[in-house]
Amino acid sequence: MLWVALHLPQLSLQALPWSRAGLETLLPVAVVEQHRLLGANRAARALGVHVGQSVATALALLLQLVVQPRDEARERAFVATLALALAALTPKLNLQASGVLLEVRASLRLFGGVRCLLRRAQAIAHDCGAHVRLACAPTASAAWLLATSGSVRRRTLQSSHCARQLDRIPLGALDALLPLTPRQTELLQALGVQRLGELRALPRAGLQRRLGRALATTLDRAYGDASDPRPWFAPPERFEARRELLQRADDAAVLVAAIGALLPALGGWLQLHWHAATVLSLRLRHEHRREPVPDTVLRLQLSTPSRDIAQLALLWRERLQRHALAAPVYELILALEASVAHGGTPGELLPTAGGEGQGHAALLDRLVARLGPERVLRFEPLADHRPERAQRGVPVTETLRVPAEPPPGAPPRPAWLLEPPQPLASDALGRPLHGGLLRLCSRAERIEAGWFDGGLARRDYHVAEGSDHRLRWVYRERRADAPGNQGGWFLHGWFG
């Protein structure tokens, strides 16, 4: 087995209401518990604030320091969201109080080896807005010790090399696995034990009698001398993730960045369930002013199921850039409303027609997100012979009730119809003119319909070519009151 540990060294700070710019550059922020600072961001540390100070001392040094109480429920939710995002690498995850453990032996070949997989895990954590310390080892406890102890060498694949690395770890790092009691700490100090290797070298019977069997078992599990069973992370049945903003957002750029931190978790959820998204919703909770402002709900309906996080991020960006906010936003909730079973797409050496179809679907989704579903239409055929009433435009997100393919042997139809048809002049012989004399390229196609609804149409249609060699769709009216039943010419459409 091979385990990868991702430790969040300042989880209490990272789980605060999210705003990357505010946490890292603009506002000095600190997290407090029992009047002591548990964490401080870069801006606060640069001005003299550090972990362990009392709140009174920190505020005396920095009056503009933003003090936030610790929220353990928010921390657990942050770790669970990170675990969902990391599910894109492996389904075998184990949650810790301040991080995630991944068993990745079966995933190494898929991602190109240990180095590529670690870089991928680091990138996923960064996309989620998390700053992590990574380590890998043959056992879960060893990987966690290497990640939490701040060891210089945090990557070891062989058991013998792992044992040498663990021997150098200070004894205080053992608190990450099993917190020592004051009595145990005093006894080990009296014995002069400072590192795990020295503790492991003590006689086994005396170690268990004086320090307890739990400590010896913990050491055996870290060194691989005993089994280390761990419960696997079970994803929720329904995906919903929320992000509270530290600063009220009134522009789309901040919201796009916040959604980008939630989408990796969505991607991991979809892969764990072998699903692809079809309908997503985003609820924007607004800041209340004099009058309460109702939440804004935006929906994103995909033309084809997808779990491509980059594509979804692009669609949400297009959707938010054209939406005017009713009021500043302080929280957003991303939910998956509908999904379908999806086993993934096999890799291809050469592009195929299926790949081109996926690109076309992605283009349609982007146009819908940018322009709105009411402005991106496709044609649905109707049971009427009159061309202007033989089809209607429906949003591309709707399912066609009737197949759009023409019946076999049907005469050609242009994609661009003029509304209303444009009258044409004719020469002395009754031939149509449009920038010159038109040459009729087809026999007449007679259409007579509409007597049942008062919109009678009696026409003879032709494909005509002009002097510019462009093909037009023209017709000549048939009128009972005209000589020879022949009326005027009209231009009704253009061929591509």
Side-chain angles (χ1 to χ4, degrees):
M1 301 180 75
L2 182 64
W3 290 83
V4 173
L6 287 88
H7 169 57
L8 299 160
Q10 291 197 14
L11 175 60
S12 58
L13 182 69
Q14 298 184 45
L16 286 177
W18 186 88
S19 172
R20 182 172 298 178
L23 285 178
E24 294 300 331
T25 59
L26 298 179
L27 295 176
V29 182
V31 180
V32 61
E33 184 181 40
Q34 296 182 352
H35 306 290
R36 291 284 174 181
L37 267 60
L38 286 180
N41 70 337
R42 188 183 309 168
R45 294 195 303 269
L47 297 173
V49 175
H50 59 82
V51 176
Q53 281 181 335
S54 65
V55 177
T57 302
L59 291 176
L61 290 173
L62 189 60
L63 289 176
Q64 64 268 33
L65 179 67
V66 178
V67 177
Q68 295 282 337
R70 184 185 183 186
D71 190 337
E72 294 186 6
R74 186 178 286 155
E75 293 177 11
R76 290 192 295 269
F78 187 83
V79 173
T81 301
L82 178 61
L84 276 178
L86 294 170
L89 303 178
T90 174
K92 298 180 178 180
L93 302 106
N94 174 250
L95 267 61
Q96 300 293 306
S98 60
V100 185
L101 283 166
L102 297 81
E103 203 290 301
V104 297
R105 175 66 68 182
S107 303
L108 293 181
R109 185 176 179 182
L110 177 63
F111 291 97
V114 176
R115 293 186 179 182
C116 293
L117 189 141
L118 291 178
R119 284 197 294 266
R120 186 75 172 268
Q122 183 79 47
I124 291 175
H126 181 267
D127 292 339
C128 291
H131 303 281
V132 297
R133 184 184 295 152
L134 279 82
C136 66
T139 67
S141 297
W144 192 248
L145 281 174
L146 291 174
T148 56
S149 65
S151 174
V152 177
R153 294 292 300 273
R154 297 196 295 270
R155 190 179 69 191
T156 173
L157 305 181
Q158 303 297 329
S159 298
S160 57
H161 184 261
C162 177
R164 291 194 297 269
Q165 291 296 324
L166 291 177
D167 287 343
R168 301 189 185 102
I169 293 179
L171 189 62
L174 198 60
D175 287 342
L177 296 178
L178 180 68
L180 300 176
T181 64
R183 177 183 172 278
Q184 291 174 327
T185 304
E186 291 177 3
L187 180 58
L188 291 173
Q189 288 178 350
L191 294 174
V193 176
Q194 297 181 354
R195 300 186 182 277
L196 294 186
E198 300 170 357
L199 177 62
R200 192 176 180 229
L202 294 176
R204 183 58 176 249
L207 178 65
Q208 292 186 3
R209 186 174 62 255
R210 293 186 177 186
L211 299 177
R213 181 169 295 181
L215 181 60
T217 303
T218 299
L219 283 177
D220 290 343
R221 290 177 174 177
Y223 281 86
D225 297 330
S227 61
D228 189 6
R230 292 176 178 269
W232 300 124
F233 169 65
E237 291 299 323
R238 180 178 180 272
F239 177 82
E240 182 178 287
R242 63 183 61 215
R243 185 71 76 176
E244 185 180 351
L245 305 180
L246 183 65
Q247 296 173 313
R248 302 310 186 244
D250 55 3
D251 112 328
V254 178
L255 298 180
V256 169
I259 294 174
L262 297 177
L263 287 176
L266 172 63
W269 189 95
L270 292 172
Q271 293 202 26
L272 279 178
H273 288 268
W274 293 89
H275 271 219
T278 55
V279 182
L280 296 170
S281 69
L282 180 67
R283 180 178 295 274
L284 305 178
R285 292 192 168 174
H286 298 287
E287 182 181 17
H288 290 179
R289 296 179 177 176
R290 294 182 179 179
E291 297 181 358
V293 181
D295 296 346
T296 299
V297 179
L298 305 178
R299 296 177 75 253
L300 189 65
Q301 186 170 358
L302 305 179
S303 59
T304 56
S306 174
R307 58 186 182 195
D308 185 351
I309 300 305
Q311 178 195 359
L312 295 178
L314 180 60
L315 296 179
W316 277 121
R317 187 185 69 183
E318 299 286 359
R319 183 73 175 85
L320 286 169
Q321 284 179 348
R322 71 179 182 88
H323 178 76
L325 296 176
V329 178
Y330 73 90
E331 186 180 23
L332 57 149
I333 303 173
L334 179 66
L336 178 66
E337 291 191 1
S339 62
V340 296
H342 184 67
T345 304
E348 297 178 342
L349 179 62
L350 298 175
T352 62
E356 295 175 1
Q358 293 176 1
H360 180 260
L363 175 62
L364 288 180
D365 288 336
R366 186 173 180 182
L367 290 174
V368 170
R370 176 177 294 186
L371 304 175
E374 70 281 356
R375 297 185 179 179
V376 184
L377 308 175
R378 58 182 172 183
F379 294 115
E380 181 182 55
L382 300 176
D384 200 312
H385 289 284
R386 290 165 292 184
E388 63 273 15
R389 302 189 184 185
Q391 60 190 10
R392 69 184 183 99
V394 297
V396 294
T397 54
E398 292 186 11
T399 303
L400 293 180
R401 295 177 297 180
V402 182
E405 291 79 8
R413 289 289 186 271
W416 181 10
L417 290 180
L418 300 180
E419 183 61 35
Q422 178 183 342
L424 299 179
S426 57
D427 63 4
L429 299 178
R431 295 176 296 183
L433 301 173
H434 188 246
L437 182 64
L438 295 181
R439 183 174 66 88
L440 302 183
C441 304
S442 67
R443 298 179 60 181
E445 176 193 353
R446 181 161 296 176
I447 294 178
E448 293 190 14
W451 62 87
F452 45 83
D453 60 5
L456 178 62
R458 304 176 66 216
R459 305 166 184 168
D460 287 341
Y461 279 90
H462 298 267
V463 178
E465 181 183 6
S467 57
D468 54 1
H469 302 292
R470 297 176 63 187
L471 295 181
R472 300 150 171 86
W473 204 40
V474 300
Y475 70 84
R476 192 171 192 180
E477 285 187 324
R478 293 178 50 81
R479 298 175 55 183
D481 57 349
N485 293 335
Q486 299 294 328
W489 288 93
F490 291 84
L491 174 65
H492 202 178
W494 293 86
F495 289 93

